[in-house]
Amino acid sequence: MRREKVNYLINLIKIHGLSVLDKSYTHYSKEYKEHAIKRVLLGNESINAVALDLGLPGNGMLSNWIRSYKENGYNVVIKKKGRRIHEQERVKRIRTPQARKRQVASPEFKAYCRKRIYKKIGCLGSKKKEPTKTEIAQAVTELRHELGLAVKKIIEIINANEDLPHISRSNYYDVYTREDKDQVHHSDVMMRIREIYDEIKNRYVAPGYRRITHILHREGYQINRKTVNRLMRKMDLYGYVMKRRHPYSSYQGDIKGRIKPDLIKRKFFALRPNMKWYTDITEFNLRGKKLYLSPIIDGCGRDIVAYNISRHPNLKQVMSMLDDAFKTNQALNGLIFHTDRGWQYQHKAYQHELAIRGIEQSMSRKGCSPDDGLMEGFFGILKREMFYGQEKKYASLDELEQAIRKYIDYYNTERTKDKLKELTPIEYRNKSLVA
């Protein structure tokens, strides 16, 4: 809000010069206010543009005039200074119904009502699909409260326009008085959806309907995900979506003889654990300070096998990650380990550790991040759900590191996926080992 005020003042000075700031208190007449208000309501000009043109000290002044104009029956009222006496209050109560009648009869109000109704009803539906009677009836109810008009009058205005979807009074009252079936049949599910949504949102970002459907299924609810989606939209609950940002790259050129062929060919899935592993390094930039995460993800259950968090993306980080992975996973002969062409993965020590265990090394093509799409996908999920837009939550890199560790544990043991048959990565891994 402060930035908007500063921008407004800068534009005001550009148009009227610095002298506009030296103006003392100005009294605005009734005619002056009415002219400015009509430019906005009937002339389709923006409040900001009109306020700048008139040299008002702030656009909030014009907004207040418009609000007062509507509240007083579309009449400009110049308030007198001083405290109201009881007689004036009594006269005002008597005149309120009369002012309402004048408001409805004024041509400005009628024009505004038609414009508002046409706009709201015209925005319903889409080019390919006509709006339902329920949607139209809901819009009519909202217009009824906003404009203070009778339902009959609103429907007459709608039906008089051939370009708008029509509705009869009987249709409207049928929808308006119809019992909400969701409140009858899904009240307990809606309550549980709200609890799950708030629980996950408080820990990470708002979950989508698929995640909530998985949790409901695990708790024994027999409900379709389309129904969950509809109920969430009805309760104004939406999942968090954010664009991915550019990933960290450690590529510094090809070391002769160290580049390996792509053995994966974007066929990321593996039938059993420890058949295909993927790794990469991603960067977290927290107010100029950087943290680097180097994990290994399994192609079978999409679980994080091992990971290392460091302040520097050096060889030690990658080698420590390998040590942790090899401690908990034996007999890796024949495993395909896929990476990009980062300098760490071309290093002699790294390639030696893989070779002595019979691990085949695979590399993406030069500058082709989709070749390592499984790892890139995990980084996108991780940062969307616990980092992007939430940087203010972390006071230091130590707090961020702890949050990453907690999230990886949550990702492995609690976060379900459609592709894993609504199981968590660890559950799917264990099931695959038994099978």
Side-chain angles (χ1 to χ4, degrees):
M1 185 63 70
R2 185 178 298 172
R3 183 179 296 177
E4 292 179 4
K5 291 181 179 179
V6 171
N7 291 336
Y8 179 84
L9 287 175
I10 291 172
N11 292 328
L12 189 66
I13 293 170
K14 286 181 180 178
I15 297 173
H16 299 281
L18 285 171
S19 59
V20 73
L21 302 179
D22 298 330
K23 285 185 177 181
S24 59
Y25 174 78
T26 305
H27 173 74
Y28 299 100
S29 65
K30 178 180 178 181
E31 293 75 16
Y32 186 90
K33 290 183 177 181
E34 190 170 16
H35 173 69
I37 292 169
K38 287 185 177 180
R39 285 181 62 179
V40 175
L41 296 182
L42 301 180
N44 293 323
E45 295 184 65
S46 69
I47 293 176
N48 200 63
V50 174
L52 285 172
D53 183 50
L54 297 177
L56 299 180
N59 55 8
M61 180 181 291
L62 180 53
S63 299
N64 292 336
W65 291 353
I66 293 173
R67 183 175 66 252
S68 175
Y69 182 69
K70 292 179 179 179
E71 291 175 353
N72 291 285
Y74 285 75
N75 291 300
V76 176
V77 176
I78 304 297
K79 295 182 179 180
K80 295 181 179 179
K81 293 184 178 181
R83 184 178 296 178
R84 293 176 182 269
I85 60 175
H86 295 295
E87 181 64 22
Q88 289 176 334
E89 292 288 349
R90 188 182 68 81
V91 172
K92 181 183 176 183
R93 287 195 297 270
I94 295 173
R95 290 179 177 176
T96 299
Q98 298 175 352
R100 178 61 186 166
K101 290 180 181 179
R102 288 197 301 271
Q103 170 190 356
V104 175
S106 66
E108 293 89 355
F109 179 72
K110 290 180 179 179
Y112 173 75
C113 288
R114 282 195 300 272
K115 178 183 172 183
R116 186 72 187 93
I117 292 170
Y118 290 165
K119 182 176 181 180
K120 191 169 187 69
I121 302 299
C123 291
L124 297 177
S126 63
K127 293 181 179 179
K128 297 182 179 179
K129 186 179 179 182
E130 288 290 328
T132 62
K133 297 297 183 185
T134 302
E135 292 173 337
I136 302 173
Q138 184 177 357
V140 170
T141 302
E142 292 172 1
L143 289 167
R144 175 185 178 185
H145 294 304
E146 177 186 341
L147 302 174
L149 295 179
V151 173
K152 179 181 178 181
K153 186 65 179 178
I154 296 174
I155 292 177
E156 285 179 358
I157 295 173
I158 293 173
N159 293 342
N161 191 326
E162 297 180 356
D163 298 329
L164 297 179
H166 294 181
I167 186 173
S168 64
R169 288 177 66 192
S170 58
N171 283 148
Y172 170 79
Y173 284 111
D174 177 60
V175 173
Y176 186 74
T177 58
R178 191 181 299 163
E179 187 177 32
D180 189 348
K181 294 182 180 180
D182 288 330
Q183 292 294 341
V184 176
H185 301 292
H186 299 299
S187 58
D188 57 336
V189 178
M190 293 171 71
M191 188 181 300
R192 183 58 187 142
I193 288 173
R194 169 68 71 175
E195 292 173 354
I196 295 170
Y197 183 89
D198 292 338
E199 180 182 348
I200 299 179
K201 184 179 179 182
N202 291 335
R203 294 172 61 187
Y204 302 108
V205 298
Y209 70 92
R210 287 186 178 86
R211 184 89 48 79
I212 291 181
T213 304
H214 296 171
I215 296 173
L216 291 174
H217 286 173
R218 293 162 72 86
E219 294 179 355
Y221 288 92
Q222 300 296 322
I223 188 168
N224 187 281
R225 71 180 184 181
K226 293 182 179 179
T227 304
V228 175
N229 187 20
R230 178 173 57 79
L231 293 176
M232 287 183 65
R233 284 189 282 108
K234 190 169 188 176
M235 294 187 289
D236 290 328
L237 304 180
Y238 300 96
Y240 181 84
V241 179
M242 189 166 184
K243 294 181 179 179
R244 291 179 57 184
R245 303 183 186 180
H246 295 295
Y248 162 80
S249 175
S250 60
Y251 179 72
Q252 294 182 2
D254 296 346
I255 300 176
K256 192 174 181 180
R258 301 283 175 82
I259 299 299
K260 305 298 180 181
D262 184 359
L263 304 178
I264 297 296
K265 306 293 184 184
R266 300 192 187 180
K267 295 179 181 178
F268 304 115
F269 179 70
L271 292 174
R272 298 187 309 278
N274 298 339
M275 289 182 65
K276 296 178 182 179
W277 281 1
Y278 306 87
T279 189
D280 198 356
I281 299 175
T282 191
E283 173 189 284
F284 292 81
N285 191 329
L286 184 67
R287 294 183 288 279
K289 297 180 180 180
K290 296 180 180 180
L291 199 65
Y292 298 89
L293 169 67
S294 175
I296 296 174
I297 191 169
D298 192 285
C300 178
R302 272 71 166 174
D303 54 299
I304 303 302
V305 177
Y307 65 93
N308 184 277
I309 302 174
S310 173
R311 301 296 194 274
H312 306 283
N314 49 28
L315 183 63
K316 181 181 177 181
Q317 178 185 26
V318 174
M319 300 306 291
S320 298
M321 176 195 67
L322 285 183
D323 291 340
D324 293 340
F326 295 153
K327 285 177 185 177
T328 55
N329 296 274
Q330 307 294 327
L332 298 175
N333 188 44
L335 166 70
I336 298 176
F337 202 168
H338 186 83
T339 67
D340 60 13
R341 295 189 178 189
W343 67 268
Q344 297 96 328
Y345 312 124
Q346 297 184 49
H347 199 279
K348 186 176 180 179
Y350 177 85
Q351 294 190 345
H352 175 72
E353 286 295 320
L354 301 187
I356 62 176
R357 289 174 172 80
I359 298 173
E360 295 185 75
Q361 190 176 5
S362 169
M363 287 186 177
S364 303
R365 290 168 294 175
K366 181 178 177 180
C368 191
S369 58
D371 285 352
D372 199 12
L374 194 64
M375 193 76 258
E376 297 292 347
F378 168 73
F379 288 153
I381 292 171
L382 169 70
K383 291 186 178 182
R384 284 197 304 271
E385 295 193 357
M386 58 77 57
F387 185 65
Y388 289 150
Q390 305 179 62
E391 292 89 339
K392 293 182 179 179
K393 288 170 54 177
Y394 311 114
S396 64
L397 289 181
D398 291 332
E399 286 190 14
L400 176 58
E401 181 176 341
Q402 291 301 316
I404 293 172
R405 294 185 184 279
K406 288 181 180 179
Y407 180 84
I408 291 177
D409 181 67
Y410 159 77
Y411 175 87
N412 273 343
T413 60
E414 296 184 46
R415 193 181 188 279
T416 57
K417 286 176 171 282
D418 274 341
K419 291 183 179 179
L420 302 181
K421 301 178 181 178
E422 298 188 5
L423 299 174
T424 66
I426 290 297
E427 288 174 342
Y428 191 89
R429 178 187 179 89
N430 295 337
K431 191 174 181 180
S432 300
L433 287 171
V434 173

